[in-house]
């Protein structure tokens, strides 16, 4: 499976307005804006971290006519973007027919792919059918990528597909899973995918599901987000200068000092607001099973089958799809239950925590959390205690433990600002936080003293406004000087 995270902020291809950007009407009406559809589990790679254990077709995959019916029903529900995944989506013989049917409804259709043997003819046919773009999975530089993907030459195929897609005018993005060996490879990969023509780079942490449970040495330890996030912040800003937008999946970040840069794609008023599964996102499996998120465990989160029941009925009545709509802080546990951001974050990515512990509500891959523990001299780690069954989307079991940072004294926990509960209304269905300009952490709008850095919120905002005005004046003057130099040069 091409592991991707269904997030309104992680679009692989983007025009001036992302098709999956949610409006107030979408939020209140729970419109399934974005659908991630595994159309086959057939695959030509052998990925050691594949959550769905892809390789062979599922038993009972939907027929072409059944798939057409699903497409028509999704269009009627207001879906604006469908991402086709596998396995390897183009190995399904009727994939071009599905692309054409989707595009015929005016729905944007993209494809996430491992890109082995995704040649020019296939890409040309996809574009002709209405394919908007491709997101190519590349997990690191050549030796590492070929090793974890299980096929020598798959890295070259992936880069070649990106370059070909660019030459054909298709949207081009890259999708990267971050594991134990990935951090050192991110910067050289960043440079290489820019050369290949990527305009977007979606990143997420490898999740403990399926083959990744068997190969748990590939999983990133939670405390290493302390290394990861500053690097991604630097690459994000460099990417802006070089035409590559870094987009962050649902299991990356969660507040901390960099959240205001990237979650809203430059809009600081936007921040993480909790798992969107079953609210504006649908996941479909090749046999017609419907889920609130494509990556969640089928046995726990499967909400019925579109072969037996209309999509609209399942979407509107299936409790297994609605868990994200009904969750509150009572479902949180561990660190997440007592966190200042509890009601806004709601434990981060359901897929990540449920895959580790068999239940959502406590996610150790949190930058804010790791920073707080690091101040106390503590790191969090995971270790496997139970294997996963040999079936798609299977989970094992991991335990979470704390370890003293070598050479550091372990300090007692400082009092945490108490969790707050947001008042949700039809005009404000998601919690909205403000930004403390003293530490760049989000705070509740009525805070007068920042609970994170203890700054006077109003004074910090005033100081920031003065400094920002000065920066803007300097930039304006610099631009004026450069414009005058350009004029002088052109007339010399």
């Amino acid at each position: 499976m091409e592991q991707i995270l269904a997030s309104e902020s992680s679009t692989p291809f983007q025009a001036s307005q992302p098709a999956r950007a949610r409006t107030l009407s979408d939020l209140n009406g729970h419109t399934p804006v974005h659908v991630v559809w595994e159309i086959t589990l057939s695959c030509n790679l052998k990925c050691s971290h594949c959550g769905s254990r892809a390789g062979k077709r599922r038993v009972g995959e939907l027929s072409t006519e059944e798939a057409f019916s699903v497409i028509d029903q999704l269009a009627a529900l207001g879906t604006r973007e469908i991402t086709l995944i596998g396995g390897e989506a183009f190995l399904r013989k009727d994939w071009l027919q599905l692309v054409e049917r989707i595009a015929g409804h005016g729905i944007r259709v993209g494809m996430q792919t491992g890109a082995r043997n995704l040649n020019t003819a296939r890409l040309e046919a996809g574009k002709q059918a209405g394919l908007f773009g491709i997101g190519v999975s590349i997990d690191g530089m050549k030796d590492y990528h070929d090793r974890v993907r299980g096929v020598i030459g798959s890295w070259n195929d992936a880069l070649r597909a990106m370059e070909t897609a660019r030459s054909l005018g298709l949207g081009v993005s890259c999708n990267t899973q971050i594991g134990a060996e990935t951090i050192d490879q991110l910067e050289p990969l960043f440079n290489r995918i820019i050369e290949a023509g990527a305009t977007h780079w979606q990143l997420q942490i490898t999740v403990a599901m399926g083959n990744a449970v068997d190969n748990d040495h590939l999983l990133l330890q939670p405390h290493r987000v302390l290394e990861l996030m500053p690097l991604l912040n630097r690459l994000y800003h460099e990417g802006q200068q070089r035409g590559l937008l870094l987009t962050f999946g649902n299991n990356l970040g969660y507040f901390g000092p960099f959240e205001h840069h990237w979650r809203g794609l430059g809009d600081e008023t936007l921040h993480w607001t909790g798992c969107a599964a079953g609210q504006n996102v649908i996941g479909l499996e090749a046999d017609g099973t419907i889920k609130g998120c494509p990556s969640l465990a089928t046995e726990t989160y499967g909400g019925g089958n579109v072969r037996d029941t209309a999509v609209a009925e399942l979407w509107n009545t299936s409790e297994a799809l609605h868990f994200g709509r009904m969750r509150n802080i009572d479902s949180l546990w561990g660190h997440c239950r007592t966190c200042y951001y509890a009601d806004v974050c709601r434990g981060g990515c359901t897929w990540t925590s449920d895959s580790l512990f068999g239940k959502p509500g406590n996610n150790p891959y949190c930058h804010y959390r790791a920073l707080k523990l690091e101040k106390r001299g503590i790191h969090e780690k995971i270790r496997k205690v139970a294997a996963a069954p040999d079936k798609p989307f299977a989970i094992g079991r991991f335990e979470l433990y704390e370890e003293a940072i070598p050479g550091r004294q372990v300090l007692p926990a400082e009092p945490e600002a108490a969790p707050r509960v947001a008042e949700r209304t039809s005009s404000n269905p998601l919690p909205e936080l403000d930004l403390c300009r003293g530490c760049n952490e989000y705070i509740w709008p009525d805070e007068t003293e920042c609970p994170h850095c203890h700054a006077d919120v109003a004074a910090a905002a005033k100081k920031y406004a003065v400094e920002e005005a000065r920066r803007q004046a300097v930039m304006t003057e610099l631009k004026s000087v450069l414009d005058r130099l350009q004029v002088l040069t052109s007339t010399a």
Side-chain angles (χ1 to χ4, degrees):
M1 181 186 75
E2 295 306 321
Q3 289 184 319
I4 66 172
L5 296 165
S7 166
E8 70 277 6
S9 64
S10 56
T11 177
F13 336 102
Q14 186 174 352
S16 57
Q17 176 65 27
R20 71 184 79 167
R22 298 177 296 172
T23 65
L24 185 61
S25 175
D26 295 330
L27 293 170
N28 288 325
H30 298 295
T31 305
V33 172
H34 182 216
V35 175
V36 182
W37 190 352
E38 168 213 287
I39 59 174
T40 183
L41 265 190
S42 180
C43 194
N44 53 15
L45 293 174
K46 303 173 183 178
C47 302
S48 53
H49 51 15
C50 179
S52 63
R53 302 190 190 276
K56 298 180 180 179
R57 293 181 58 189
R58 280 188 189 273
V59 175
E61 291 187 353
L62 296 176
S63 68
T64 302
E65 289 304 317
E66 288 172 326
F68 281 173
S69 175
V70 170
I71 293 165
D72 297 344
Q73 292 177 66
L74 291 172
L77 281 170
T79 295
R80 297 196 291 272
E81 182 170 353
I82 296 177
T83 302
L84 302 179
I85 65 170
E88 184 55 82
F90 67 77
L91 294 182
R92 179 169 166 136
K93 293 181 179 179
D94 62 357
W95 77 283
L96 292 172
Q97 293 173 262
L98 302 187
V99 169
E100 187 172 20
R101 185 76 165 215
I102 295 167
H105 281 288
I107 298 173
R108 177 176 293 181
V109 53
M111 181 173 68
Q112 293 285 348
T113 175
R116 184 186 180 200
N117 297 327
L118 182 55
N119 55 32
T120 302
R122 285 190 168 114
L123 287 167
E124 288 177 335
K127 181 179 181 182
Q128 182 66 30
L131 189 70
F132 179 78
I134 61 170
V136 180
S137 293
I138 306 179
D139 293 322
M141 298 305 286
K142 182 176 180 179
D143 291 346
Y144 174 76
H145 176 90
D146 284 358
R147 171 161 53 88
V148 297
R149 293 278 164 175
V151 176
I152 301 299
S154 59
W155 192 81
N156 287 333
D157 278 359
L159 270 297
R160 188 179 303 115
M162 292 174 68
E163 292 165 350
T164 302
R166 176 182 60 177
S167 71
L168 294 174
L170 289 165
V172 181
S173 75
C174 179
N175 178 48
T176 297
Q177 292 191 46
I178 299 172
E181 300 178 57
T182 314
I183 293 177
D184 291 342
Q185 305 199 31
L186 290 176
E187 186 158 11
L189 180 59
F190 166 84
N191 291 317
R192 185 63 186 88
I193 64 174
I194 289 175
E195 293 175 8
T199 58
H200 293 73
W201 189 19
Q202 178 178 292
L203 300 118
Q204 60 272 328
I205 293 169
T206 298
V207 171
M209 176 176 273
N211 292 350
V213 181
D214 304 339
N215 300 289
D216 57 296
H217 62 279
L218 294 176
L219 300 176
L220 187 74
Q221 285 294 341
H223 68 89
R224 295 195 66 198
V225 299
L226 296 171
E227 304 169 54
L228 176 64
M229 304 312 286
L231 171 62
L232 293 184
N233 183 60
R234 178 169 62 80
L235 295 180
Y236 176 83
H237 290 290
E238 184 177 339
Q240 287 183 312
Q241 303 301 315
R242 298 178 62 185
L244 179 70
L245 179 63
L246 275 66
T247 60
F248 296 85
N250 286 350
N251 65 3
L252 261 177
Y254 313 135
F255 304 100
F258 309 129
E259 177 80 8
H260 66 293
H261 289 313
W262 55 52
R263 188 69 64 182
L265 303 178
D267 183 348
E268 293 183 346
T269 65
L270 300 180
H271 51 77
W272 173 255
T273 53
C275 174
Q279 299 183 65
N280 301 105
V281 173
I282 288 178
L284 283 171
E285 295 181 358
D287 63 0
T289 300
I290 188 171
K291 299 185 291 188
C293 168
S295 304
L296 290 168
T298 307
E299 288 189 0
T300 308
Y301 294 97
N305 195 294
V306 298
R307 180 177 272 139
D308 307 320
T309 309
V311 176
E313 183 175 345
L314 291 171
W315 180 246
N316 292 321
T317 64
S318 174
E319 291 186 8
L321 301 183
H322 294 173
F323 73 93
R325 306 181 197 180
M326 300 181 291
R327 278 178 65 182
N328 56 40
I329 63 173
D330 293 337
S331 65
L332 306 183
W333 55 283
H335 281 277
C336 289
R337 181 64 180 83
T338 61
C339 180
Y340 175 77
Y341 296 109
D343 190 47
V344 183
C345 183
R346 300 192 181 191
C349 172
T350 300
W351 174 38
T352 303
S353 54
D354 188 78
S355 297
L356 285 170
F357 310 122
K359 59 179 179 178
N362 188 25
N363 191 332
Y365 290 98
C366 167
H367 192 207
Y368 174 73
R369 171 170 166 169
L371 285 167
K372 288 182 68 67
L373 290 171
E374 194 271 339
K375 288 180 181 178
R376 294 181 51 210
I378 293 173
H379 280 165
E380 281 188 311
K381 293 186 175 182
I382 56 171
R383 58 187 165 216
K384 184 169 69 175
V385 295
D390 187 17
K391 53 186 177 182
F393 297 101
I395 63 174
R397 192 70 77 247
F398 287 74
E399 67 176 8
L400 181 67
Y401 64 99
E402 294 180 349
E403 185 174 273
I405 299 173
R408 292 278 301 276
Q409 178 185 359
V410 176
L411 303 174
E414 296 181 359
E416 174 85 36
R420 305 269 296 273
V421 178
E423 181 179 350
R424 291 171 170 80
T425 65
S426 60
S427 61
N428 184 27
L430 297 176
E432 293 182 359
L433 303 179
D434 288 338
L435 194 62
C436 170
R437 291 301 183 181
C439 61
N440 288 326
E441 290 277 13
Y442 284 94
I443 57 175
W444 290 93
D446 61 354
E447 301 275 18
T448 57
E449 179 182 301
C450 177
H452 311 299
C453 70
H454 306 294
D456 180 303
V457 173
K462 184 176 181 179
K463 180 181 178 183
Y464 174 83
V466 170
E467 292 174 347
E468 182 64 17
R470 184 181 298 117
R471 281 192 293 269
Q472 291 299 324
V474 170
M475 293 301 297
T476 300
E477 178 61 25
L478 178 60
K479 183 178 184 302
S480 176
V481 170
L482 291 174
D483 289 344
R484 290 197 298 272
L485 286 174
Q486 186 174 6
V487 170
L488 290 172
T489 302
S490 63
T491 57

